[in-house]
Amino acid sequence: MRRTLHCMAAEDARWMIRLLAARGIDRMKPWHRKMGITGDHLRRAGKVFEVALAGDRQLTRTELYAQLNVAGIRTKIHGMHLLTHWAQAGLICIAARRNNQSTFALLEDWSPRGRDLSGDEALAELTRMYFQSHGPATLKDFAWWSSLPMAQAKRALQLTADLLKSTTIDGVEYWLMRDTPAPPASPWPILLLPPFDEYTVAYADRTAAADASVLSSIGHGLAPNILVNGRIAGTWKRTLPPAGNAVVLSTTLLRILNRKEQTGLAAAAERYAEFIGRRSAGERSGRTLRAPKRKGPRLR
């Protein structure tokens, strides 16, 4: 997709790789040429990985680099690119952790075979998965998330026309599943999102979550965000004091929260502390960034 880590059901890994990875691999060819990574380097590295990981073995990055170095393949700059290429090609995958380090395994050994989709069937399934979990969204959003070319993204919409419906807001066409339930009338609870959460990173246009004028101040929506009624109200970070079993949350807000919102933020901090097995030591508000008032309807 976008050369970043994605979590997916194991049964979907192979068909999604077949559908999406080739374009990402082609995009890297100019960079490989600049770095001196040739097709021969890639083929030789693949053979090293096949032999080193055979028999359901799991090796760390350092251990795999050592195997590549023995074979005369440089890893100081090239190592991560070789791993990424063969992960995108569907040969290897990240496996279990050992001593707080990720290990790698052969995908064929590590992950059980799942659904065998290809062609239009795979494209339609990817489209359904995206709009079911991310709608309402635009065609541009879907193309960004999947890294599909726009022409293929348009075809994907045609393949799923019986599942989707469109709505136009402020002159922009959004798509969602026909059976999408109406949003609740009551305000959403205040949420603490992790960085790179799908709520923001899955959209090319993130102004449904925050006004364009403040996106740069909050990492373009990729930071750990505080959501108040579906809108980004600021960012947060945690501190784990060396003594005791507490967690302290520090916030940078886009606006001053009212009393009810402050109570909701404290409740969110308590939920997070419970999630990581610690007690909440409270929330410390940092600077407040001023944001313009929201114009237009909320989509999410």
Short mmCIF file of all heavy atoms in Angstrom, two decimals, residues 126-194:
data_model
loop_
_atom_site.label_atom_id
_atom_site.label_comp_id
_atom_site.label_asym_id
_atom_site.label_seq_id
_atom_site.Cartn_x
_atom_site.Cartn_y
_atom_site.Cartn_z
N LEU A 126 -11.79 -5.34 -1.58
CA LEU A 126 -11.03 -4.26 -0.95
C LEU A 126 -11.88 -3.01 -0.82
O LEU A 126 -11.87 -2.33 0.20
CB LEU A 126 -9.77 -3.96 -1.77
CG LEU A 126 -8.85 -2.91 -1.15
CD1 LEU A 126 -8.04 -3.51 -0.01
CD2 LEU A 126 -7.92 -2.32 -2.21
N THR A 127 -12.64 -2.71 -1.86
CA THR A 127 -13.51 -1.53 -1.86
C THR A 127 -14.58 -1.65 -0.79
O THR A 127 -14.85 -0.70 -0.04
CB THR A 127 -14.16 -1.36 -3.24
OG1 THR A 127 -13.16 -1.43 -4.26
CG2 THR A 127 -14.88 -0.03 -3.34
N ARG A 128 -15.19 -2.82 -0.71
CA ARG A 128 -16.21 -3.04 0.31
C ARG A 128 -15.62 -2.86 1.71
O ARG A 128 -16.21 -2.20 2.57
CB ARG A 128 -16.80 -4.45 0.18
CG ARG A 128 -17.93 -4.74 1.18
CD ARG A 128 -18.19 -6.22 1.31
NE ARG A 128 -17.05 -6.93 1.88
CZ ARG A 128 -16.75 -6.92 3.19
NH1 ARG A 128 -17.49 -6.24 4.04
NH2 ARG A 128 -15.71 -7.60 3.64
N MET A 129 -14.44 -3.45 1.94
CA MET A 129 -13.81 -3.35 3.25
C MET A 129 -13.53 -1.90 3.63
O MET A 129 -13.74 -1.49 4.77
CB MET A 129 -12.50 -4.16 3.25
CG MET A 129 -12.71 -5.67 3.17
SD MET A 129 -11.17 -6.57 2.83
CE MET A 129 -10.24 -6.23 4.32
N TYR A 130 -13.07 -1.11 2.65
CA TYR A 130 -12.73 0.28 2.96
C TYR A 130 -13.97 1.10 3.31
O TYR A 130 -14.02 1.76 4.35
CB TYR A 130 -11.99 0.93 1.80
CG TYR A 130 -11.71 2.40 2.05
CD1 TYR A 130 -10.69 2.78 2.91
CD2 TYR A 130 -12.49 3.40 1.47
CE1 TYR A 130 -10.43 4.12 3.17
CE2 TYR A 130 -12.24 4.73 1.72
CZ TYR A 130 -11.22 5.09 2.58
OH TYR A 130 -10.98 6.42 2.85
N PHE A 131 -14.98 1.06 2.45
CA PHE A 131 -16.13 1.93 2.69
C PHE A 131 -17.00 1.44 3.84
O PHE A 131 -17.69 2.23 4.48
CB PHE A 131 -16.94 2.09 1.40
CG PHE A 131 -16.28 3.01 0.41
CD1 PHE A 131 -15.57 2.49 -0.66
CD2 PHE A 131 -16.32 4.38 0.58
CE1 PHE A 131 -14.94 3.33 -1.57
CE2 PHE A 131 -15.70 5.23 -0.31
CZ PHE A 131 -15.00 4.70 -1.39
N GLN A 132 -16.95 0.15 4.13
CA GLN A 132 -17.69 -0.35 5.29
C GLN A 132 -17.07 0.17 6.58
O GLN A 132 -17.78 0.44 7.56
CB GLN A 132 -17.72 -1.87 5.28
CG GLN A 132 -18.58 -2.48 6.38
CD GLN A 132 -18.72 -3.97 6.24
OE1 GLN A 132 -17.73 -4.71 6.28
NE2 GLN A 132 -19.93 -4.45 6.03
N SER A 133 -15.77 0.32 6.61
CA SER A 133 -15.09 0.73 7.84
C SER A 133 -14.71 2.21 7.86
O SER A 133 -14.38 2.73 8.93
CB SER A 133 -13.82 -0.11 8.04
OG SER A 133 -12.98 -0.02 6.91
N HIS A 134 -14.75 2.89 6.71
CA HIS A 134 -14.28 4.27 6.65
C HIS A 134 -15.29 5.26 6.07
O HIS A 134 -15.03 6.46 6.07
CB HIS A 134 -13.00 4.35 5.82
CG HIS A 134 -11.85 3.61 6.40
ND1 HIS A 134 -11.67 2.25 6.23
CD2 HIS A 134 -10.81 4.02 7.16
CE1 HIS A 134 -10.57 1.88 6.86
NE2 HIS A 134 -10.03 2.93 7.42
N GLY A 135 -16.41 4.78 5.53
CA GLY A 135 -17.37 5.70 4.93
C GLY A 135 -18.06 6.57 5.98
O GLY A 135 -18.18 6.16 7.15
N PRO A 136 -18.50 7.77 5.59
CA PRO A 136 -18.44 8.32 4.24
C PRO A 136 -17.02 8.78 3.88
O PRO A 136 -16.31 9.34 4.70
CB PRO A 136 -19.41 9.49 4.26
CG PRO A 136 -19.57 9.83 5.70
CD PRO A 136 -19.24 8.65 6.51
N ALA A 137 -16.65 8.52 2.64
CA ALA A 137 -15.33 8.88 2.16
C ALA A 137 -15.43 9.18 0.67
O ALA A 137 -16.36 8.75 0.00
CB ALA A 137 -14.33 7.76 2.42
N THR A 138 -14.46 9.91 0.16
CA THR A 138 -14.46 10.27 -1.25
C THR A 138 -13.66 9.24 -2.05
O THR A 138 -12.92 8.43 -1.48
CB THR A 138 -13.82 11.65 -1.46
OG1 THR A 138 -12.43 11.59 -1.12
CG2 THR A 138 -14.51 12.71 -0.61
N LEU A 139 -13.81 9.31 -3.35
CA LEU A 139 -13.01 8.46 -4.23
C LEU A 139 -11.52 8.73 -4.03
O LEU A 139 -10.70 7.81 -4.00
CB LEU A 139 -13.40 8.71 -5.69
CG LEU A 139 -12.63 7.92 -6.75
CD1 LEU A 139 -12.88 6.43 -6.61
CD2 LEU A 139 -13.02 8.41 -8.15
N LYS A 140 -11.16 10.00 -3.85
CA LYS A 140 -9.77 10.37 -3.62
C LYS A 140 -9.25 9.77 -2.31
O LYS A 140 -8.10 9.33 -2.23
CB LYS A 140 -9.63 11.89 -3.61
CG LYS A 140 -8.20 12.37 -3.52
CD LYS A 140 -8.14 13.89 -3.58
CE LYS A 140 -6.69 14.39 -3.48
NZ LYS A 140 -6.63 15.88 -3.51
N ASP A 141 -10.11 9.75 -1.29
CA ASP A 141 -9.72 9.12 -0.01
C ASP A 141 -9.39 7.65 -0.22
O ASP A 141 -8.38 7.14 0.28
CB ASP A 141 -10.86 9.22 1.00
CG ASP A 141 -11.10 10.64 1.50
OD1 ASP A 141 -10.14 11.44 1.51
OD2 ASP A 141 -12.25 10.94 1.86
N PHE A 142 -10.25 6.94 -0.96
CA PHE A 142 -10.04 5.51 -1.20
C PHE A 142 -8.76 5.27 -1.99
O PHE A 142 -7.99 4.35 -1.68
CB PHE A 142 -11.24 4.93 -1.95
CG PHE A 142 -11.06 3.51 -2.38
CD1 PHE A 142 -10.77 2.51 -1.46
CD2 PHE A 142 -11.20 3.14 -3.72
CE1 PHE A 142 -10.61 1.19 -1.85
CE2 PHE A 142 -11.05 1.83 -4.12
CZ PHE A 142 -10.75 0.84 -3.19
N ALA A 143 -8.51 6.10 -3.00
CA ALA A 143 -7.30 5.95 -3.79
C ALA A 143 -6.06 6.19 -2.94
O ALA A 143 -5.04 5.49 -3.07
CB ALA A 143 -7.33 6.89 -4.99
N TRP A 144 -6.14 7.19 -2.04
CA TRP A 144 -5.01 7.46 -1.14
C TRP A 144 -4.74 6.28 -0.22
O TRP A 144 -3.61 5.83 -0.07
CB TRP A 144 -5.28 8.71 -0.31
CG TRP A 144 -4.61 8.71 1.03
CD1 TRP A 144 -5.19 8.48 2.24
CD2 TRP A 144 -3.21 8.90 1.30
NE1 TRP A 144 -4.26 8.52 3.25
CE2 TRP A 144 -3.03 8.77 2.71
CE3 TRP A 144 -2.11 9.17 0.50
CZ2 TRP A 144 -1.78 8.91 3.30
CZ3 TRP A 144 -0.86 9.30 1.11
CH2 TRP A 144 -0.71 9.18 2.49
N TRP A 145 -5.78 5.77 0.40
CA TRP A 145 -5.63 4.68 1.38
C TRP A 145 -5.07 3.43 0.72
O TRP A 145 -4.20 2.76 1.29
CB TRP A 145 -7.00 4.39 1.99
CG TRP A 145 -7.03 3.24 2.96
CD1 TRP A 145 -6.69 3.26 4.29
CD2 TRP A 145 -7.47 1.90 2.68
NE1 TRP A 145 -6.88 2.03 4.85
CE2 TRP A 145 -7.36 1.17 3.88
CE3 TRP A 145 -7.94 1.26 1.54
CZ2 TRP A 145 -7.70 -0.18 3.97
CZ3 TRP A 145 -8.28 -0.08 1.61
CH2 TRP A 145 -8.16 -0.79 2.83
N SER A 146 -5.54 3.10 -0.45
CA SER A 146 -5.16 1.85 -1.11
C SER A 146 -3.94 1.98 -2.01
O SER A 146 -3.33 0.97 -2.38
CB SER A 146 -6.33 1.35 -1.97
OG SER A 146 -6.62 2.29 -3.00
N SER A 147 -3.57 3.23 -2.36
CA SER A 147 -2.52 3.50 -3.34
C SER A 147 -2.88 3.02 -4.74
O SER A 147 -2.00 2.84 -5.59
CB SER A 147 -1.18 2.89 -2.90
OG SER A 147 -0.66 3.57 -1.79
N LEU A 148 -4.14 2.82 -5.01
CA LEU A 148 -4.57 2.45 -6.35
C LEU A 148 -4.56 3.68 -7.25
O LEU A 148 -4.85 4.79 -6.80
CB LEU A 148 -6.00 1.89 -6.33
CG LEU A 148 -6.20 0.52 -5.67
CD1 LEU A 148 -7.69 0.21 -5.56
CD2 LEU A 148 -5.49 -0.58 -6.45
N PRO A 149 -4.24 3.53 -8.54
CA PRO A 149 -4.39 4.66 -9.46
C PRO A 149 -5.85 5.05 -9.56
O PRO A 149 -6.74 4.21 -9.36
CB PRO A 149 -3.84 4.11 -10.78
CG PRO A 149 -3.92 2.63 -10.65
CD PRO A 149 -3.75 2.31 -9.20
N MET A 150 -6.11 6.31 -9.86
CA MET A 150 -7.48 6.81 -9.83
C MET A 150 -8.39 6.04 -10.79
O MET A 150 -9.56 5.77 -10.46
CB MET A 150 -7.49 8.30 -10.17
CG MET A 150 -8.83 8.97 -9.98
SD MET A 150 -9.47 8.86 -8.28
CE MET A 150 -8.33 9.97 -7.44
N ALA A 151 -7.88 5.65 -11.95
CA ALA A 151 -8.70 4.90 -12.90
C ALA A 151 -9.15 3.57 -12.31
O ALA A 151 -10.30 3.15 -12.48
CB ALA A 151 -7.92 4.66 -14.19
N GLN A 152 -8.26 2.91 -11.59
CA GLN A 152 -8.63 1.63 -10.98
C GLN A 152 -9.58 1.84 -9.80
O GLN A 152 -10.47 1.02 -9.56
CB GLN A 152 -7.37 0.89 -10.52
CG GLN A 152 -7.60 -0.59 -10.23
CD GLN A 152 -6.31 -1.34 -9.97
OE1 GLN A 152 -5.23 -0.75 -9.88
NE2 GLN A 152 -6.40 -2.65 -9.83
N ALA A 153 -9.40 2.95 -9.07
CA ALA A 153 -10.31 3.26 -7.97
C ALA A 153 -11.72 3.53 -8.50
O ALA A 153 -12.72 3.12 -7.88
CB ALA A 153 -9.78 4.46 -7.19
N LYS A 154 -11.82 4.21 -9.63
CA LYS A 154 -13.14 4.45 -10.23
C LYS A 154 -13.79 3.13 -10.64
O LYS A 154 -15.00 2.94 -10.46
CB LYS A 154 -12.99 5.37 -11.44
CG LYS A 154 -12.65 6.80 -11.08
CD LYS A 154 -12.51 7.66 -12.34
CE LYS A 154 -12.18 9.10 -11.98
NZ LYS A 154 -11.99 9.94 -13.20
N ARG A 155 -12.99 2.23 -11.20
CA ARG A 155 -13.53 0.93 -11.58
C ARG A 155 -14.01 0.17 -10.35
O ARG A 155 -15.02 -0.53 -10.37
CB ARG A 155 -12.48 0.11 -12.33
CG ARG A 155 -12.91 -1.31 -12.62
CD ARG A 155 -12.06 -2.00 -13.65
NE ARG A 155 -12.42 -3.41 -13.76
CZ ARG A 155 -13.53 -3.84 -14.34
NH1 ARG A 155 -14.39 -2.97 -14.84
NH2 ARG A 155 -13.79 -5.14 -14.41
N ALA A 156 -13.29 0.33 -9.25
CA ALA A 156 -13.68 -0.35 -8.01
C ALA A 156 -15.07 0.11 -7.56
O ALA A 156 -15.88 -0.70 -7.08
CB ALA A 156 -12.65 -0.07 -6.92
N LEU A 157 -15.35 1.41 -7.71
CA LEU A 157 -16.68 1.91 -7.35
C LEU A 157 -17.76 1.30 -8.24
O LEU A 157 -18.86 0.97 -7.78
CB LEU A 157 -16.72 3.43 -7.45
CG LEU A 157 -16.05 4.24 -6.34
CD1 LEU A 157 -16.28 5.72 -6.56
CD2 LEU A 157 -16.56 3.83 -4.96
N GLN A 158 -17.44 1.13 -9.51
CA GLN A 158 -18.40 0.51 -10.43
C GLN A 158 -18.70 -0.93 -10.03
O GLN A 158 -19.84 -1.40 -10.11
CB GLN A 158 -17.87 0.57 -11.86
CG GLN A 158 -17.73 1.97 -12.42
CD GLN A 158 -17.03 1.99 -13.76
OE1 GLN A 158 -16.54 0.97 -14.25
NE2 GLN A 158 -16.98 3.17 -14.39
N LEU A 159 -17.66 -1.64 -9.59
CA LEU A 159 -17.82 -3.05 -9.22
C LEU A 159 -18.69 -3.22 -7.97
O LEU A 159 -19.27 -4.28 -7.75
CB LEU A 159 -16.45 -3.70 -8.98
CG LEU A 159 -15.55 -3.86 -10.21
CD1 LEU A 159 -14.16 -4.33 -9.79
CD2 LEU A 159 -16.16 -4.85 -11.19
N THR A 160 -18.75 -2.19 -7.13
CA THR A 160 -19.50 -2.27 -5.87
C THR A 160 -20.70 -1.33 -5.86
O THR A 160 -21.18 -0.96 -4.79
CB THR A 160 -18.56 -1.95 -4.68
OG1 THR A 160 -17.92 -0.69 -4.92
CG2 THR A 160 -17.50 -3.02 -4.51
N ALA A 161 -21.18 -0.96 -7.04
CA ALA A 161 -22.27 0.02 -7.12
C ALA A 161 -23.52 -0.44 -6.39
O ALA A 161 -24.27 0.38 -5.86
CB ALA A 161 -22.59 0.29 -8.59
N ASP A 162 -23.73 -1.75 -6.32
CA ASP A 162 -24.94 -2.24 -5.65
C ASP A 162 -24.82 -2.19 -4.13
O ASP A 162 -25.82 -2.33 -3.42
CB ASP A 162 -25.24 -3.67 -6.09
CG ASP A 162 -24.11 -4.62 -5.78
OD1 ASP A 162 -22.93 -4.19 -5.80
OD2 ASP A 162 -24.38 -5.81 -5.52
N LEU A 163 -23.62 -1.97 -3.62
CA LEU A 163 -23.40 -1.93 -2.17
C LEU A 163 -23.31 -0.51 -1.63
O LEU A 163 -23.52 -0.28 -0.44
CB LEU A 163 -22.10 -2.67 -1.81
CG LEU A 163 -22.01 -4.15 -2.18
CD1 LEU A 163 -20.62 -4.68 -1.82
CD2 LEU A 163 -23.08 -4.95 -1.46
N LEU A 164 -22.98 0.44 -2.51
CA LEU A 164 -22.68 1.80 -2.06
C LEU A 164 -23.76 2.79 -2.46
O LEU A 164 -24.53 2.56 -3.39
CB LEU A 164 -21.34 2.26 -2.67
CG LEU A 164 -20.11 1.43 -2.33
CD1 LEU A 164 -18.91 1.94 -3.10
CD2 LEU A 164 -19.82 1.41 -0.85
N LYS A 165 -23.81 3.88 -1.73
CA LYS A 165 -24.64 5.02 -2.09
C LYS A 165 -23.79 6.28 -1.93
O LYS A 165 -22.80 6.28 -1.18
CB LYS A 165 -25.89 5.10 -1.22
CG LYS A 165 -25.62 5.29 0.26
CD LYS A 165 -26.92 5.33 1.06
CE LYS A 165 -26.66 5.49 2.56
NZ LYS A 165 -27.91 5.51 3.35
N SER A 166 -24.16 7.32 -2.61
CA SER A 166 -23.39 8.55 -2.55
C SER A 166 -24.22 9.68 -1.95
O SER A 166 -25.45 9.65 -1.99
CB SER A 166 -22.89 8.96 -3.94
OG SER A 166 -23.98 9.35 -4.76
N THR A 167 -23.53 10.63 -1.39
CA THR A 167 -24.16 11.84 -0.88
C THR A 167 -23.24 13.00 -1.18
O THR A 167 -22.00 12.84 -1.13
CB THR A 167 -24.46 11.74 0.63
OG1 THR A 167 -25.12 12.92 1.06
CG2 THR A 167 -23.18 11.57 1.44
N THR A 168 -23.78 14.14 -1.52
CA THR A 168 -22.98 15.31 -1.86
C THR A 168 -23.11 16.35 -0.75
O THR A 168 -24.22 16.74 -0.37
CB THR A 168 -23.42 15.92 -3.20
OG1 THR A 168 -23.27 14.93 -4.23
CG2 THR A 168 -22.57 17.13 -3.55
N ILE A 169 -21.98 16.77 -0.23
CA ILE A 169 -21.94 17.76 0.85
C ILE A 169 -20.95 18.85 0.44
O ILE A 169 -19.79 18.55 0.12
CB ILE A 169 -21.51 17.12 2.19
CG1 ILE A 169 -22.48 16.00 2.58
CG2 ILE A 169 -21.45 18.18 3.29
CD1 ILE A 169 -22.06 15.24 3.81
N ASP A 170 -21.41 20.08 0.45
CA ASP A 170 -20.57 21.22 0.06
C ASP A 170 -19.93 21.00 -1.31
O ASP A 170 -18.77 21.35 -1.55
CB ASP A 170 -19.48 21.48 1.10
CG ASP A 170 -20.05 21.93 2.43
OD1 ASP A 170 -21.20 22.43 2.45
OD2 ASP A 170 -19.36 21.78 3.46
N GLY A 171 -20.69 20.37 -2.21
CA GLY A 171 -20.21 20.16 -3.57
C GLY A 171 -19.26 19.00 -3.75
O GLY A 171 -18.74 18.79 -4.84
N VAL A 172 -19.02 18.22 -2.70
CA VAL A 172 -18.11 17.08 -2.75
C VAL A 172 -18.92 15.80 -2.61
O VAL A 172 -19.78 15.70 -1.74
CB VAL A 172 -17.04 17.17 -1.63
CG1 VAL A 172 -16.11 15.96 -1.69
CG2 VAL A 172 -16.24 18.46 -1.77
N GLU A 173 -18.61 14.81 -3.46
CA GLU A 173 -19.33 13.54 -3.43
C GLU A 173 -18.64 12.56 -2.48
O GLU A 173 -17.45 12.29 -2.61
CB GLU A 173 -19.41 12.94 -4.83
CG GLU A 173 -20.29 11.71 -4.92
CD GLU A 173 -20.45 11.19 -6.34
OE1 GLU A 173 -19.48 11.33 -7.13
OE2 GLU A 173 -21.52 10.66 -6.67
N TYR A 174 -19.42 12.03 -1.55
CA TYR A 174 -18.94 11.04 -0.59
C TYR A 174 -19.69 9.73 -0.83
O TYR A 174 -20.85 9.71 -1.24
CB TYR A 174 -19.18 11.51 0.85
CG TYR A 174 -18.35 12.70 1.25
CD1 TYR A 174 -18.77 13.99 0.94
CD2 TYR A 174 -17.15 12.55 1.92
CE1 TYR A 174 -18.02 15.10 1.30
CE2 TYR A 174 -16.38 13.64 2.29
CZ TYR A 174 -16.82 14.92 1.98
OH TYR A 174 -16.07 16.01 2.33
N TRP A 175 -19.01 8.62 -0.48
CA TRP A 175 -19.59 7.30 -0.67
C TRP A 175 -19.63 6.56 0.67
O TRP A 175 -18.73 6.71 1.51
CB TRP A 175 -18.77 6.49 -1.67
CG TRP A 175 -18.79 7.08 -3.05
CD1 TRP A 175 -17.96 8.04 -3.55
CD2 TRP A 175 -19.72 6.76 -4.09
NE1 TRP A 175 -18.31 8.35 -4.84
CE2 TRP A 175 -19.38 7.58 -5.21
CE3 TRP A 175 -20.78 5.87 -4.20
CZ2 TRP A 175 -20.07 7.52 -6.40
CZ3 TRP A 175 -21.48 5.81 -5.39
CH2 TRP A 175 -21.12 6.63 -6.48
N LEU A 176 -20.67 5.79 0.87
CA LEU A 176 -20.81 4.96 2.07
C LEU A 176 -21.68 3.76 1.73
O LEU A 176 -22.33 3.72 0.68
CB LEU A 176 -21.41 5.76 3.22
CG LEU A 176 -22.84 6.29 3.09
CD1 LEU A 176 -23.36 6.65 4.48
CD2 LEU A 176 -22.90 7.54 2.22
N MET A 177 -21.67 2.78 2.61
CA MET A 177 -22.46 1.58 2.38
C MET A 177 -23.95 1.91 2.45
O MET A 177 -24.38 2.75 3.24
CB MET A 177 -22.11 0.52 3.42
CG MET A 177 -20.65 0.10 3.44
SD MET A 177 -20.12 -0.74 1.93
CE MET A 177 -20.94 -2.33 2.13
N ARG A 178 -24.73 1.22 1.62
CA ARG A 178 -26.18 1.47 1.61
C ARG A 178 -26.81 1.17 2.96
O ARG A 178 -27.81 1.79 3.34
CB ARG A 178 -26.84 0.62 0.53
CG ARG A 178 -26.52 1.07 -0.89
CD ARG A 178 -27.25 0.23 -1.92
NE ARG A 178 -26.90 0.62 -3.28
CZ ARG A 178 -27.49 1.59 -3.96
NH1 ARG A 178 -28.49 2.27 -3.40
NH2 ARG A 178 -27.11 1.89 -5.19
N ASP A 179 -26.26 0.19 3.68
CA ASP A 179 -26.87 -0.20 4.95
C ASP A 179 -26.20 0.48 6.15
O ASP A 179 -26.34 0.03 7.28
CB ASP A 179 -26.81 -1.72 5.13
CG ASP A 179 -25.38 -2.27 5.05
OD1 ASP A 179 -24.44 -1.47 4.83
OD2 ASP A 179 -25.21 -3.49 5.22
N THR A 180 -25.47 1.58 5.91
CA THR A 180 -24.84 2.30 7.01
C THR A 180 -25.90 2.87 7.96
O THR A 180 -26.82 3.58 7.51
CB THR A 180 -23.98 3.46 6.48
OG1 THR A 180 -22.95 2.93 5.65
CG2 THR A 180 -23.34 4.24 7.63
N PRO A 181 -25.83 2.57 9.25
CA PRO A 181 -26.83 3.11 10.19
C PRO A 181 -26.68 4.60 10.37
O PRO A 181 -25.59 5.17 10.15
CB PRO A 181 -26.52 2.35 11.49
CG PRO A 181 -25.08 1.97 11.38
CD PRO A 181 -24.83 1.71 9.92
N ALA A 182 -27.74 5.26 10.75
CA ALA A 182 -27.69 6.70 11.01
C ALA A 182 -26.82 6.96 12.24
O ALA A 182 -26.78 6.15 13.17
CB ALA A 182 -29.10 7.23 11.25
N PRO A 183 -26.09 8.07 12.27
CA PRO A 183 -25.25 8.37 13.43
C PRO A 183 -26.11 8.62 14.66
O PRO A 183 -27.25 9.09 14.55
CB PRO A 183 -24.50 9.62 13.02
CG PRO A 183 -25.35 10.25 11.96
CD PRO A 183 -26.01 9.11 11.25
N PRO A 184 -25.61 8.32 15.85
CA PRO A 184 -26.40 8.55 17.07
C PRO A 184 -26.64 10.03 17.30
O PRO A 184 -25.82 10.88 16.94
CB PRO A 184 -25.51 7.95 18.17
CG PRO A 184 -24.12 8.00 17.61
CD PRO A 184 -24.27 7.78 16.13
N ALA A 185 -27.77 10.34 17.90
CA ALA A 185 -28.10 11.74 18.17
C ALA A 185 -27.29 12.29 19.34
O ALA A 185 -27.01 13.49 19.41
CB ALA A 185 -29.59 11.86 18.47
N SER A 186 -26.91 11.43 20.27
CA SER A 186 -26.17 11.88 21.45
C SER A 186 -24.71 12.13 21.09
O SER A 186 -24.17 11.52 20.17
CB SER A 186 -26.26 10.82 22.54
OG SER A 186 -25.76 9.57 22.07
N PRO A 187 -24.03 13.03 21.81
CA PRO A 187 -22.61 13.30 21.55
C PRO A 187 -21.75 12.06 21.75
O PRO A 187 -22.05 11.21 22.58
CB PRO A 187 -22.26 14.38 22.59
CG PRO A 187 -23.57 14.97 22.98
CD PRO A 187 -24.58 13.87 22.88
N TRP A 188 -20.70 11.98 20.96
CA TRP A 188 -19.77 10.85 21.11
C TRP A 188 -18.94 11.03 22.38
O TRP A 188 -18.72 12.15 22.83
CB TRP A 188 -18.84 10.79 19.92
CG TRP A 188 -19.51 10.45 18.63
CD1 TRP A 188 -20.85 10.27 18.40
CD2 TRP A 188 -18.87 10.26 17.37
NE1 TRP A 188 -21.07 9.97 17.09
CE2 TRP A 188 -19.88 9.96 16.43
CE3 TRP A 188 -17.55 10.31 16.94
CZ2 TRP A 188 -19.60 9.71 15.09
CZ3 TRP A 188 -17.27 10.06 15.61
CH2 TRP A 188 -18.28 9.77 14.70
N PRO A 189 -18.46 9.95 22.96
CA PRO A 189 -17.56 10.09 24.11
C PRO A 189 -16.22 10.66 23.65
O PRO A 189 -15.85 10.56 22.48
CB PRO A 189 -17.39 8.64 24.60
CG PRO A 189 -17.64 7.80 23.39
CD PRO A 189 -18.70 8.53 22.62
N ILE A 190 -15.53 11.30 24.56
CA ILE A 190 -14.19 11.82 24.25
C ILE A 190 -13.24 10.63 24.15
O ILE A 190 -13.21 9.75 25.01
CB ILE A 190 -13.75 12.82 25.32
CG1 ILE A 190 -14.60 14.09 25.21
CG2 ILE A 190 -12.26 13.16 25.17
CD1 ILE A 190 -14.25 15.16 26.19
N LEU A 191 -12.44 10.62 23.09
CA LEU A 191 -11.56 9.49 22.80
C LEU A 191 -10.12 9.95 22.71
O LEU A 191 -9.83 11.05 22.23
CB LEU A 191 -11.97 8.81 21.49
CG LEU A 191 -13.39 8.26 21.40
CD1 LEU A 191 -13.66 7.75 19.99
CD2 LEU A 191 -13.61 7.16 22.42
N LEU A 192 -9.20 9.09 23.14
CA LEU A 192 -7.77 9.29 22.96
C LEU A 192 -7.31 8.32 21.88
O LEU A 192 -7.31 7.11 22.08
CB LEU A 192 -7.02 9.02 24.27
CG LEU A 192 -7.40 9.87 25.48
CD1 LEU A 192 -6.63 9.42 26.72
CD2 LEU A 192 -7.14 11.35 25.20
N LEU A 193 -6.93 8.85 20.73
CA LEU A 193 -6.50 8.00 19.62
C LEU A 193 -4.98 7.86 19.62
O LEU A 193 -4.26 8.80 19.99
CB LEU A 193 -6.95 8.60 18.28
CG LEU A 193 -8.45 8.76 18.06
CD1 LEU A 193 -8.70 9.23 16.62
CD2 LEU A 193 -9.19 7.47 18.32
N PRO A 194 -4.47 6.74 19.16
CA PRO A 194 -3.02 6.59 19.01
C PRO A 194 -2.55 7.33 17.77
O PRO A 194 -3.36 7.73 16.92
CB PRO A 194 -2.85 5.08 18.84
CG PRO A 194 -4.13 4.64 18.21
CD PRO A 194 -5.20 5.51 18.79
#
